[in-house]
């Protein structure tokens, strides 16, 4: 074991944070933010997802805190390549790639449960702590509590009763991904208890996609006249979710099932219902009474790009307007879309 | 239209062989059988299953179900006159031009009704998430069921066991969708055929390693990726045997694949699927021979005909297109040493994240053994932006660089 710190890096919303917590570590999401120079394209390829490239840029530039290890999830091709490249550019880091099935059928859940058990063994080696089932249950409880509080906060933002709601919610999501859970929980509680203050209107819009961690992006949406009444992003509400606490069943199976059954990223498929993602987008847009839908995906993200035509078709069928934005995880790229967002909102009025 | 294409191809090859029996090269034999496969796919007579390239086709053949993988049919369609139209059709429907050309071609042609309707689709996350997404989209378009195989990244006991079970479930699913039962004796026979084909392939690759090599740059192109469609069948054995016999006879006659072979090359991952002059130029101007394609490799042990599922699972997991780049690179380095190559060409198929994402790591590992790699930027399926002149200039410079340095061996 190379004991470096109490932090474990991660890069994907499918990471079982409760296991990291149970090992005595704090999870630290390496968000694709900061000013590290573009170098990753030389190791990977320029036409790879900017999320992964910017995470690798941070690793290459040493723009991350000291970590005891990094847990990568096999969520897509580029995440796999990130795991490969990380070992090359930072050979002294402890790393583990956890295999992540693409569906939640019983066989996949069993396989993933065994992968989580292996992850637990590895985390135990990295920490020197014996990770007992009781510790895992306690951590699941803590993360369930976090998910519940974040959900409450999200409801306030969705209802428009929290001043600068979406900006502050995203700030909290980022903190929940990078700071100790105890500290974040305190901040959330304080925010939930703030008195109601109606936000400045704006046209209700549903936002979905993958990586959009910069809180300034949400300021931009609002400045264009949009009010994000619900979002489904892997750097947002998809990051936390409740896990069943029925202690009579195997804890790894519960965790596996919980992760594979939660609101899905485009990489997760329901084989019984091909194209379900499009129907989910319509359902959520309707549920939050959105007047329009904005999809934001980072460039070169195959899972999302491949599903966008069906999303577009499904929304069109329902008569819901749709704007698709592609970005590279920088405010520069989202800022370039300002006129398009303004025009979209104008059209909806 | 596509059925006509395959029928014309079949009759054209047969007529050519009839006129001149000596022209019956193994390459023609392979082309003939792929045309026949294409005919079966498009004739509406067979039960079809669309599958990912790492799905065990021998098991499907044993069930008398016609299997095909998306990338195969895309590479056939691109050679038809309608190829560019299919790309445009996909892009008009919203499929981004940044994504893999194979999958765009597939979607564009499916939306035009040019892909035959299967009974079932089977996909996996390996080799790529883009492929899985394309299969999901096809399932949606066809309104057909999708079965997903989870192919683990590592060959762990639990991973092999679970994949073996998944393959069993897959066979049951195929059975329930086609009504075809997996007969034990046919399965055993299919595995015996697969093992025979495996042995012959292994011998073919050993022959190809000879210096000078009996193969030229076209003989074994797409071989390791297309031949598995015939695994488990007598035809698969015949095709492999014809290649073996041809190479053996060339060696006996002291005939190398490229006369006066001077430079030995490896081609990484995919070949360029549309007509181009790169290989011809390499051979003509530099006496350079592509002696090994990365995917022409046996990474798996013979499969136990009495209990094939574990062996089939191990085979899928062991594919160079699955797992970490570290494992892939080890395999590439092993091939570089076995074939004594002077350089490698990586087309870096545009839109292939799993493949191009390995570019830098392949480069650096090959550098360590003294083998230079030329990274091109090519869409291996979409010819619309193919800048052959520029590529030739880069390849020429690469060849000159190789000629100016001592052999790594």
């Amino acid at each position: 074991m190379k004991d470096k710190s109490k932090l474990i890096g991660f890069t994907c919303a499918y990471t079982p944070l409760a296991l990291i917590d149970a090992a005595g570590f704090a999870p630290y999401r390496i968000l694709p933010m900061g000013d590290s120079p573009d170098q990753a394209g030389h190791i990977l390829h320029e036409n790879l997802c900017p999320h992964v490239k910017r995470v690798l840029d941070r690793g290459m530039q040493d723009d991350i805190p000291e970590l005891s290890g990094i847990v990568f999830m096999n969520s897509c091709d580029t995440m796999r390549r990130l795991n490969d490249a990380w070992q090359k550019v930072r050979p002294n880091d402890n790393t583990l790639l956890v295999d992540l099935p693409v569906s939640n059928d019983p066989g996949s859940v069993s396989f993933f449960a065994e992968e989580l058990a292996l992850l637990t063994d590895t985390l135990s080696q990295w920490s020197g702590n014996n990770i007992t089932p009781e510790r895992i249950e306690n951590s699941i409880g803590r993360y369930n509590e976090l998910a519940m509080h974040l959900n409450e906060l999200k409801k306030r933002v969705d209802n428009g009763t929290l001043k600068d709601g979406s900006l502050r919610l995203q700030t909290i999501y980022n903190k929940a991904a990078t700071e100790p859970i105890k500290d974040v929980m305190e901040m959330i509680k304080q925010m939930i208890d703030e008195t109601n203050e109606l936000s400045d209107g704006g046209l209700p819009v549903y936002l979905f996609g993958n990586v959009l961690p910069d809180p300034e992006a949400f300021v931009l949406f609002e400045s264009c006249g949009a009010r994000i009444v619900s979002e489904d992003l892997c750097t947002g509400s998809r990051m936390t979710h409740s896990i069943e606490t029925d202690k009579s069943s195997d804890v790894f199976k519960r965790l596996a099932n919980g992760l594979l059954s939660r609101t899905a990223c485009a990489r997760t498929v329901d084989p019984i219902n091909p194209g379900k993602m499009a129907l989910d987008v319509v359902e959520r847009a309707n549920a939050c009474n959105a007047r329009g839908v904005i999809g934001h995906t980072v460039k070169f993200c195959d899972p999302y790009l491949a599903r966008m035509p069906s999303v577009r078709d499904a929304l069109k069928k329902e008569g819901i307007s749709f704007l698709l934005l592609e970005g590279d995880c920088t405010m520069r790229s989202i800022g370039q879309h300002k006129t398009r967002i303004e025009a979209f909102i104008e059209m909806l009025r | 239209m596509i059925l006509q294409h395959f029928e014309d191809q079949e009759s054209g090859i047969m007529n050519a062989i009839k006129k001149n029996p000596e022209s019956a090269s193994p390459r023609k034999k392979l082309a003939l059988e792929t045309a026949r496969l294409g005919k079966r796919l498009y004739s509406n007579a067979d039960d079809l299953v669309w599958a990912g390239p790492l799905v065990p086709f021998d098991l499907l053949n044993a069930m008398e179900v016609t299997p095909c993988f998306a990338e195969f049919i895309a590479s056939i369609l691109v050679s038809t006159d309608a190829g560019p139209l299919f790309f445009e059709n996909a892009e008009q429907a919203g499929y981004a031009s940044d994504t893999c050309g194979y999958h765009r071609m597939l979607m564009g042609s499916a939306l035009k009704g040019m892909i035959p309707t299967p009974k079932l689709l089977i996909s996996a996350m390996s080799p790529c998430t883009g492929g899985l997404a394309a299969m999901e989209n096809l399932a949606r378009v066809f309104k057909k069921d999708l079965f997903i195989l989870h192919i683990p990244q590592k060959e762990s006991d639990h991973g092999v066991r679970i994949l073996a079970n998944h393959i069993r479930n897959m066979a049951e699913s195929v059975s329930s969708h086609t009504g075809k039962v997996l007969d034990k004796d046919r399965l055993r026979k299919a595995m015996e055929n697969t093992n025979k084909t495996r042995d012959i392939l292994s011998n073919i690759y050993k022959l190809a390693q000879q210096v000078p090599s009996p193969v030229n740059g076209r003989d074994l192109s797409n071989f390791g990726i297309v031949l598995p469609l015939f695994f488990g069948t007598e035809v698969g054995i015949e095709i492999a045997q014809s290649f073996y016999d041809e190479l053996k006879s060339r060696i006996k006659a002291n005939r190398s694949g490229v006369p006066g072979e001077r430079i030995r090359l490896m081609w990484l991952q995919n070949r360029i699927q549309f007509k181009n002059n790169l290989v011809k130029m390499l051979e003509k101007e530099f006496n350079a021979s592509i002696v090994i394609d990365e995917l022409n490799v046996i990474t798996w042990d013979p499969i136990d005909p009495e209990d094939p599922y574990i062996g089939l699972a191990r085979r899928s997991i062991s594919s160079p297109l699955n797992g970490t780049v570290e494992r892939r690179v080890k395999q590439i380095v092993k091939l570089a040493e076995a074939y004594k190559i002077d350089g490698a060409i990586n087309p870096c198929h545009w839109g292939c994240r799993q493949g191009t994402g390995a570019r830098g790591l392949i480069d650096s590992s090959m550098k360590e053994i003294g083998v230079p790699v030329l990274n091109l930027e090519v869409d291996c399926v979409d010819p619309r932006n193919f800048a052959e002149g520029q590529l030739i200039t880069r390849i020429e410079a690469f060849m000159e660089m190789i000629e100016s340095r001592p052999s790594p061996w």
Side-chain angles (χ1 to χ4, degrees), chain A residues 156 161-163 168 189-196:
Chain A
R156 283 202 58 181
T161 59
L162 191 75
K163 182 82 180 148
R168 292 171 72 197
K189 281 178 192 164
Q190 282 171 19
M191 283 169 74
I192 291 171
D193 291 340
E194 282 178 24
T195 48
N196 282 2

Side-chain angles (χ1 to χ4, degrees), chain B residues 227-243:
Chain B
L227 199 66
L229 281 170
F230 301 100
F231 276 1
T233 67
E234 297 287 345
V235 167
I237 299 174
E238 286 166 22
I239 295 170
Q241 189 63 46
S242 67
F243 274 91

Side-chain angles (χ1 to χ4, degrees), chain A residues 74-115:
Chain A
N74 176 23
S75 42
C76 59
D77 296 339
T78 33
M79 276 294 174
R80 282 204 293 275
R81 297 297 83 98
L82 175 62
N83 167 65
D84 296 316
W86 197 276
Q87 290 171 50
K88 185 76 180 174
V89 301
R90 295 177 64 101
N92 296 322
D93 286 355
N94 288 318
T95 60
L96 183 71
L97 177 69
V98 180
D99 230 334
L100 177 68
V102 289
S103 58
N104 68 349
D105 59 276
S108 296
V109 170
S110 297
F111 172 77
F112 190 37
E114 292 195 45
E115 282 289 296

Side-chain angles (χ1 to χ4, degrees), chain A residues 110-124:
Chain A
S110 297
F111 172 77
F112 190 37
E114 292 195 45
E115 282 289 296
L116 295 181
L118 289 172
L119 167 65
T120 306
D121 291 345
T122 305
L123 288 168
S124 182

Side-chain angles (χ1 to χ4, degrees), chain A residues 41-49 74-78 80-81 83-85 87-88 96-103 105 107-108 110-112 114-115 118 266-277 299-303 305-310 312-313 326, chain B residues 93-96 98-100 124-130 132-134 136-137 139-140 144-154 156 158-159 161-162 166 321 323-326 328 348-361 363-365 368 376-377:
Chain A
H42 300 299
I43 306 281
L44 298 164
H45 190 277
E46 291 307 335
N47 78 355
L48 254 65
C49 147
N74 176 23
S75 42
C76 59
D77 296 339
T78 33
R80 282 204 293 275
R81 297 297 83 98
N83 167 65
D84 296 316
Q87 290 171 50
K88 185 76 180 174
L96 183 71
L97 177 69
V98 180
D99 230 334
L100 177 68
V102 289
S103 58
D105 59 276
S108 296
S110 297
F111 172 77
F112 190 37
E114 292 195 45
E115 282 289 296
L118 289 172
R267 54 83 57 195
T268 301
V269 176
D270 180 357
I272 308 290
N273 194 355
K276 183 171 178 287
M277 183 189 144
K299 281 174 77 66
F300 308 123
C301 173
D302 285 338
L305 290 177
R307 271 90 182 185
M308 284 306 170
S310 61
R312 192 184 293 278
D313 289 349
E326 273 187 29
Chain B
Y95 293 94
D98 285 336
T99 55
C100 169
M125 198 170 142
S126 281
C128 58
T129 35
L132 172 66
E136 191 199 3
N137 280 330
R140 183 177 52 83
K144 292 290 176 186
D145 288 344
L146 176 67
F147 185 94
I148 298 178
L149 267 187
H150 179 71
I151 301 177
Q153 293 291 292
K154 306 172 281 265
S156 63
H158 83 278
R161 185 168 28 84
I162 286 201
H166 250 189
L321 298 177
T324 62
V325 172
E326 186 187 6
R328 181 179 169 198
C348 299
H349 171 51
W350 180 257
C352 176
R353 322 292 174 207
Q354 67 88 15
T356 56
R359 180 185 68 168
L361 302 182
D363 270 4
S364 58
S365 297
E368 281 169 21
L376 302 176
E377 299 293 340

